Amino acid sequence: MRDYFSCVLTKDDVLQVKPDPELYIKTLTCLGVRPYEAVAVEDSVTGATAAKAAGMYCIITPHELSRKHTFAEYDVRMESLAERQLEQVLEDFK
């Protein structure tokens, strides 16, 4: 699977885990992209908070356990990634 990704980081690569944005910031640096050039897809409040704190666009797709949680920070909410094509979602960020 790692052959498909140029950068793979986990909680073991940072001092602070989500909602701290450190993991996203390190990943952006590894990929060589700016926050506004990246989109995070998250299913948890802590993940969405971290993505937005890192300056990224954030799509949330809550799962069964997080669906009732209050997501304060995100750009697009979808119940499933199958709802729309990625190109359509990216239009929301222009």
Side-chain angles (χ1 to χ4, degrees):
M1 190 95 169
R2 288 184 182 259
D3 292 340
Y4 293 100
F5 300 95
S6 59
C7 184
V8 177
L9 296 171
T10 70
K11 65 179 180 143
D12 296 330
D13 297 304
V14 294
L15 296 175
Q16 298 292 317
V17 295
K18 297 173 185 177
D20 188 277
E22 182 183 6
L23 184 57
Y24 273 124
I25 292 168
K26 277 190 146 182
T27 302
L28 292 166
T29 300
C30 178
L31 292 170
V33 298
R34 295 186 174 124
Y36 64 84
E37 298 172 319
V39 177
V41 178
E42 279 290 348
D43 63 356
S44 71
V45 172
T46 56
T49 301
K52 293 306 295 177
M56 300 170 66
Y57 294 109
C58 183
I59 300 169
I60 59 167
T61 56
H63 56 76
E64 186 175 317
L65 298 176
S66 66
R67 193 163 281 119
K68 294 181 181 178
H69 294 172
T70 301
F71 285 80
E73 299 184 68
Y74 61 90
D75 296 290
V76 175
R77 181 183 179 123
M78 296 170 43
E79 295 309 310
S80 166
L81 291 177
E83 284 179 22
R84 296 164 54 195
Q85 294 292 319
L86 180 60
E87 292 80 13
Q88 295 170 316
V89 176
L90 294 177
E91 286 295 319
D92 291 345
F93 302 133
K94 288 186 177 180

